[in-house]
Structure formats: structure tokens, C-alpha cells
Amino acid sequence: MAKEVTSRFENYSQWYNDLVVKADLAEQSPVRGCMVIKPYGYAIWEKMHDVLDKMFKETGHVNAYFPLFIPKSFFSREAEHVAGFAKECAVVTHHRLMNDPDGNGVVVDPEAKLEEELVVRPTSETIIWSTYKNWITSWRDLPILCNQWANVVRWEMRTRLFLRTAEFLWQEGHTAHATAAEAMKETETMVNVYAKFARETMALPVIIGHKSPNERFAGALDTMTIEAMMQDGKALQAGTSHFLGQNFAKSFDVMYTNKEGKQEYVWATSWGVSTRLMGALIMAHGDDNGLVLPPALAPIQIVMVPIFKTEEEHQAILDRMYEIKKNLEAMGHSVKVDDRDTLRPGFKFAEWELKGVPVRIAMGGRDLANGTCEVARRDTLTKETMPVEGVAEKIHGLLDDIQTNIYNKALKFRDEHVQKCDNWEEFKEKIKEGGFLLCHWDGTAETEQKIKDETKATIRCIPADSFVCEEEGVDIYSGKPSKGRVVFAISY
Amino acid sequence: MAKEVTSRFENYSQWYNDLVVKADLAEQSPVRGCMVIKPYGYAIWEKMHDVLDKMFKETGHVNAYFPLFIPKSFFSREAEHVAGFAKECAVVTHHRLMNDPDGNGVVVDPEAKLEEELVVRPTSETIIWSTYKNWITSWRDLPILCNQWANVVRWEMRTRLFLRTAEFLWQEGHTAHATAAEAMKETETMVNVYAKFARETMALPVIIGHKSPNERFAGALDTMTIEAMMQDGKALQAGTSHFLGQNFAKSFDVMYTNKEGKQEYVWATSWGVSTRLMGALIMAHGDDNGLVLPPALAPIQIVMVPIFKTEEEHQAILDRMYEIKKNLEAMGHSVKVDDRDTLRPGFKFAEWELKGVPVRIAMGGRDLANGTCEVARRDTLTKETMPVEGVAEKIHGLLDDIQTNIYNKALKFRDEHVQKCDNWEEFKEKIKEGGFLLCHWDGTAETEQKIKDETKATIRCIPADSFVCEEEGVDIYSGKPSKGRVVFAISY
């Protein structure tokens, strides 16, 4: 093989890093905690962007852009928000460098100290609500349904490519509404958009639910989430949608005149997904040969590798391949013919497997004579010889099958690792093995914290979809009454 | 009218600000020098992004993403670059805020001082070339053709929306090549891509040329530019493409093994356009009624305004309008039916004129009876009554006409304001009136500087296209021999 990948079972964490780095998705930069997203990785993110952006626009949202910097004082305005976000962040204190008087490069010019420090946005609620104040006077100005694609910075001590980086890319929606009901509906609409995107585009099964108060976004009255399971059984929060109530409107004094002529505070939501989704994609579907990309997000959906003895044969095979390519491209698929003549086919096979290309077509001298080709699926690692005649149509259908199969495989894995648990001793054992445990909870932050302290497990969500389980019971830890089961897991 | 716009001739600068703010393109933010790009403005930028991104990909480029922060020491490595870029910039010195011990919000935690300060990227050559060092070993790794869409920060003392802001959005291409010839060819390819985009998509005539050494990008051996003329006769640099030689490869020690097995430094280019193009678009085409958007960049290409007496009539007109809308959308056009029932048609007309929508369709009771509608062009402010039957096809063609007409109008204006000038006294008078002066130049930085000091005029470019003028002459200022004419103008 081209580049050895650590086995998932040997060392899951190393396997993940191998995939990210060896499949050319991203790498560490010279700046602590900041990553370089390489072209192949960025092409996947671009596809995520395009699908999501279309979904946002179809649900009535528009894009805008707000400043990278936030005046320090803005964070102090919303009490909970400052506790949650204003701490570990990048702070700009000066606006000029000067030549070092000692001749050693450049130094910060002490004369160029800012009057008020600026924080590089860790999230944009404060700067956006200070702007919305100017945009909103009457009910006619509502709703405002803005989204922003941007970079944000949260100073993290321990970072991992895509999963936790100081700088990351994301989108953040920020909406303003006349009523609580409308804002809550928006919160639900957007978590459903994320779930649909995860399931249909990323082939990623997710549970939709509400966060417990402990795990809510700083400043939110309700946080909805989609929770996915990785192949080590850990949970990964893949997207969140927050009902912010009137907290930010009150902090930034944003009021509107309602139809009755009365002044009211505006209701808010915010919602976001980030390049963290790249981590979810890798960990949910990859195997020991490398990435397994769902066709909907694969920058290259079909790769073709010629197997030849002579240059004449090479050319004849390439000619046939370019014809198939043309047909597939006409159907909207992205195709690469790997015509590099310095590498052996086996090396190429391993490389494209590592990069997770859904379908590989190989063609050799005998295929040329027989009018056939070999079609290999990345998801199942199976191969089939097919006539070249009509192969484009077959692959068109095959890509749908692969998308569905990758989802079903992940769904089967997830469902096999979700179980009810009603015994605390059992819980402590089972949670170590990974997976989601559906348990009764008494609804208190104290119990939640104690369970976390003893086992590292957190409440991933109080399910709001098919996993919803409203039944009387007793809390697995405290023994106090419970109205339903929640999802516990160790998480990323 | 809905919102009064200052006349161009009365106060050009105020007219520009009025257009930006009143047409809802952008506004000042609470952060000094940073703007908020509002949804209507961002929608235009998104269109620019989409067209350019497609052109970049068609010329073989891929997108990637590099860190926002650059270690301070990186700037010192390229001597000229540090002089040009590392001075007025946002410097991150700390990574944590803490509660003010005095109870007044939050303050910078003095314990969280960074070992090395980080500069918010003003441009990314240094961080990218430090990364390319890891990507390049052999000639097989070349060329690298990366582009990045990103935000950058240059601390500007005097800012103007879109034209000069502390933070702005842009794309920056950074390519690595095996030979000087290949890198120079890339430099030319990209300035031509920019020129084609400006002319065909922005309807903006531009002169392609080389910058004089004085005006080159810090660290470049050659800078190519596209220069446009605004309606006040000033020049606006709309895009640049730099041949960087081996400067950055040498600073970051990036070598490759050539086919003969010898180590050589890599050759570089970089090229970029920014949200400044929004300023060019506004100033090149706008009039005293507001924006005039070329159809290729208009977020709404056609707006329809019903004129009605009764609600029944309103509905009947809307029904017909939605039918036309459907036909236009099927042709790929973006259409808005303005069905707001609280505003008078005259108000709506003025609003959509202000926002530069290329075509307006109005329909009243008599039109309904006659099967007609009134079609108004934003560029010429002319109206025509047309049968509804076949109106979508007519407008489809009309949009092309408008795109061409806006370009031709701007071209005529530009050409009327370009003239040769061979007399220094005349130069000093004429340059005040605006426009481009084609003059002989002796090729020295000294003369260029003296002309700038006396008149504020700079050499916008040494033309490389139809304006190229290689003829013997004498410098307009120094009287020394000259080999050709260059473009002088006062610039933004």
C-alpha cells in the first residue's frame, strides 16, 4: 500500500489522525491549534457548504457578513454568555508592529495600543445583535433570517484536526422574531435541516433532541442538537440550534413596535455547524483502508485506473475511459481518469481507497478485447466485471445504492450500540465500552454532574424524535422519579 | 422618492456613501473600520464569488484554507514584505480574558500572554510558503495551484465602505512553479481572468498593465493590474497578479529536485481581488437614482410591481405576474414579485431603482384588460409597453442588451476621458479634472515620486494590452528619454 493506516481496533485515535493526514484532508500549521485544510479536504467542505447553503436559502434565509472583531465590552453585556465564551479567546491589543530598535526583526509598537481590546469572534451573537438594533423598529422588519459563513477562534488547550481546533470554519445563523413561538419554530426547523443534511448528504444517522440545561449554549433557553455515533461508540455533537429567548435583545436593547403599537423585545435563535462535521464524516464511515466517502460529498465520485503493458494499450484504454467519463459527467458526476504513467495500478488502487472514492473502474488488455471493465465499490470493497456498454447508467444507479448502503451500515452500527440501562453498576461497566445508554434521569443538574464526575458520560440529549421515551421510571443514579429516558454517552 | 440620494455632481463622495447605505449594501459596524455587509450587498459578492470561483477552477486551481494568524517572526523573513505589510495590522498578544477583580466586566488576563505575538493575516504569502515547504520535494509536486477565499485585516486609518476597510473579504491565489517562465505565464493568465471577469460580468472596462516598481506588491518582481475608471475620472485598481520570483521560496527555504536531480528554489505567484470590487461596481455604473447593476451580478434581475385599485384586481395581476415569473425562472433568471400591499407603486419603483434592479415590469388594470405590461430598463430609464404573450423571451434577450449597454456606456465614458498629454503645465491642469493621461515616463522612481508629490497622480500601469504604446519620446516631467507612454491618474 501507498501509505499505511493504523487499524481502528489497534488505536482508534491514531487511525483517525492517519486518515486526516494521509488522505490529504488537513494538517497542523505552524500556528498552535490552527489547521491547514488541504485541497482534498476543502473540496469536501465546499460540497457541505453548497448543500447546506441551498437548504438555508430554501428555508428563507439570506447570507450576510459581520466583523471578525468584537469589542471586549460586548461580552460583558450578556451575563451567561460572557462566562461561556469570553474566556479562552484571541485578544487583539495593538494595531502596529515596528522595526525592533535592536535590529531583530519586528516588535509590537507600544504606542499602538488599542483603547479597547478586540476579541476575535468565538461566535457572533453580540456583534450581530448590536447591529440588529439598527435594523429593527417595527414588526414589519421581522423576521430577520440571516446566516454567515465565517471563521471563528476559540483558544483550545488540546486540539485535534477538525474535531477541536483554535480556528475553525462554520456557518452561524442568527434570526430575529416577533414571538417566542415563531423563534421556537425556527429553532426546530433548523435542527431538522441539520438532521436531514446529516442523514441524506453525510449518510450519518443522528438523534434529534434537546440539551439538558447544563449542556446548553451560553445564553440559550433551549438548545437542540443532532447527536451522531462514531465507530468507537462515542457521541459527536454534529450541529446545534438555540432558542435564545429575549436574552440578547435585552442585552443590546433591541425592541420592536408590535401591530398594537406596543414596544416589545425581539426573540432570537442561533444555529451552527462547523468543519467538525469533517471529523464526523471520517470517523463514522472510514475503515482500515482509509476514508469511505458518501457519493453526495465525494470530490471525485468515480476514479478510473488503466492497467496496461504497452503505451499503445494504455492509449486505447484511456480513449475508452474518456468516453465513459464524458457520459458520467453528462449525468452530473465527477470523474477522474488516473493517467499517471509513473505509478503502478496497485499503488493507485490503494491511494484512491485511502481517499475514499466511492467507485473505481479498472480496465486492462483483456477488458479492452472483451468490451468490459472492472467496477469496484469502496463501501463494500467488492468488485464486478461489467460490459462497457451501458456502464455509465449502471454506475449512476450504483452511486445511489452506495449512498444508501453507507447510511444503513452506520444506522445498523448505531442501533446495535444503543440500549436501555436501568442499573447503575451495569451503567458504569457498559459506558466504558462506548455506545448510547438510554436511562432514566431525575432532571437535576446535580445528578447529571455526579454521573459525569464518576463516568465521564454526559447527557447527549433528551430525544425529540423516534427515540423519545416518555415513561415513568426512577433515575439510574439518584433513584428519584423520572419522566422519561435520556441519551447518555461519552462524547468528543 | 423613498430615500434621497445626493447627486453625483454635487458631492461624488456623499453620493457613493448614500448608494452603499441606502441601497442596503453595507454599513459601518461598532468596530472601527470594519463593515457589516448586509444581505443585499452580500448577495452581489456571492455572485462575484461564484463566477470567479468557476473561472479559477476552469484554469486548474483548487481551493484550500490556511490559518488566520501568522507568527510575527514570519514577516521578518522576507525583507520587502515586512516593510509593506507587517506594520499596520491587528496583533494578538493574549489568549484569555478574566473577570475584572474590580467587578467591571472582563479584562485581559496578564497570565495569558502569548510567547510570540500573532498577526491577523493582512495577506498570506508567509504562512502559505511555510506550508508549501512540506508539500514540495520534487518536480512531480509542481505546480501547486491553490486559491483561498478568506477575510484579511489591514489596519487603515481612514476607511470607506468597500473601498478601504480594516477587515475585508477577498480571494488570494498562491501558486508554486518549477520555472520562472511558467510562473510568469500564470501571472498573466490570472490578470487576464480578472480582466475577463471585470469586462464580461461586472461590465467594467479595464486596462491591463504592469505596475511601476514603486507601486509593486511588497516582495514581487512584477505586479500586473487591471485599472478601471470611476465616474469622477479617478482610477481604481480592481485586481492584481504578482510574479514573486523566488523571494518567498528563498525566505522559507522551499526547494525542489528537478528532472536532472538538482535542487532548485521554487517560483511563485499570488493574485487577488476583494470586496473592493463592490466599490468599483457601484461607482462605475450608478446614477443619481441609485445603483445600476449589470444583470450578471444582480441578485434580483427582474422586479414586478402590480398597480391596482381593488383587491380583486391585485390578485388577477399577481396571478399573471407569477406566471411570467415562472417562465423567467425556467430560463435561469431571478425574479421578485413585489406584492407588499402597504406601499404605493411609486415608492416601490423608487426603491428598486435605488437597488439597481435591471428590469422592472409594472402591470395595471388597463394592462390586464389589454394583455400587456410595462417594461422599464434601469440602465436607460426607458419604458415600453409589451404584450404579456412572449414577454419572458423578450426580457431574456433584453438582459443581454442591458449587460452590453452598461459595458459600452462605461467604455465610452472611459475612452472619452483618456488622452495623451505631452506638456507638464497642461498635465497639472488636466489631472485635476480626472481621467487617465497617457504620458511619456523616463522609467525612474524619482520622476514618478516627484510627479506624485506635485499632483497626487500615480502611474496606474504600463499598459500591456490595447493601450500599449511603445514609441520614443521624452518624459513629461524630467524631459529625459522615454520608450513609451504610461497611464497616469489620481486613484482610489
Side-chain angles (χ1 to χ4, degrees), chain A residues 276-332:
Chain A
R276 191 165 213 236
L277 289 180
M278 295 288 295
L281 188 74
I282 297 158
M283 285 204 290
H285 306 311
D287 64 21
D288 288 352
N289 294 338
L291 297 179
V292 175
L293 295 179
L297 290 175
I300 302 167
Q301 295 175 309
I302 301 117
V303 69
M304 302 198 205
V305 178
I307 302 168
F308 56 94
K309 293 205 180 83
T310 65
E311 192 44 41
E312 197 188 342
E313 202 173 66
H314 192 191
Q315 271 314 315
I317 294 170
L318 286 180
D319 287 350
R320 182 120 354 149
M321 287 187 159
Y322 282 112
E323 217 163 289
I324 302 173
K325 181 174 192 266
K326 209 175 67 184
N327 290 336
L328 282 165
E329 283 175 345
M331 295 170 185

Side-chain angles (χ1 to χ4, degrees), chain A residues 254-265:
Chain A
V254 188
M255 303 190 87
Y256 75 100
T257 310
N258 69 15
K259 289 188 186 176
E260 289 75 42
K262 274 176 63 183
Q263 289 276 95
E264 286 188 41
Y265 283 112

Side-chain angles (χ1 to χ4, degrees), chain A residues 28-94:
Chain A
Q28 295 291 356
S29 81
V31 184
R32 218 188 118 285
C34 293
M35 64 181 160
V36 172
I37 307 180
K38 299 181 78 172
Y40 194 63
Y42 198 84
I44 299 172
W45 175 245
E46 268 183 316
K47 286 194 167 252
M48 289 186 176
H49 169 284
D50 291 350
V51 176
L52 282 167
D53 197 67
K54 191 157 172 279
M55 293 175 87
F56 297 158
K57 284 172 179 161
E58 281 166 359
T59 44
H61 301 89
V62 290
N63 289 326
Y65 189 77
F66 298 88
L68 172 67
F69 299 129
I70 302 179
K72 191 192 64 179
S73 59
F74 279 33
F75 282 97
S76 318
R77 297 218 203 158
E78 216 290 321
E80 287 179 46
H81 200 65
V82 65
F85 278 103
K87 295 304 166 61
E88 296 295 336
C89 54
V91 188
V92 177
T93 56
H94 291 74

Side-chain angles (χ1 to χ4, degrees), chain B residues 222-240:
Chain B
D222 190 5
T223 287
M224 297 196 74
T225 179
I226 52 171
E227 297 286 325
M229 187 188 291
M230 303 295 101
Q231 289 180 72
D232 58 355
K234 283 194 192 167
L236 188 143
Q237 175 180 301
T240 46

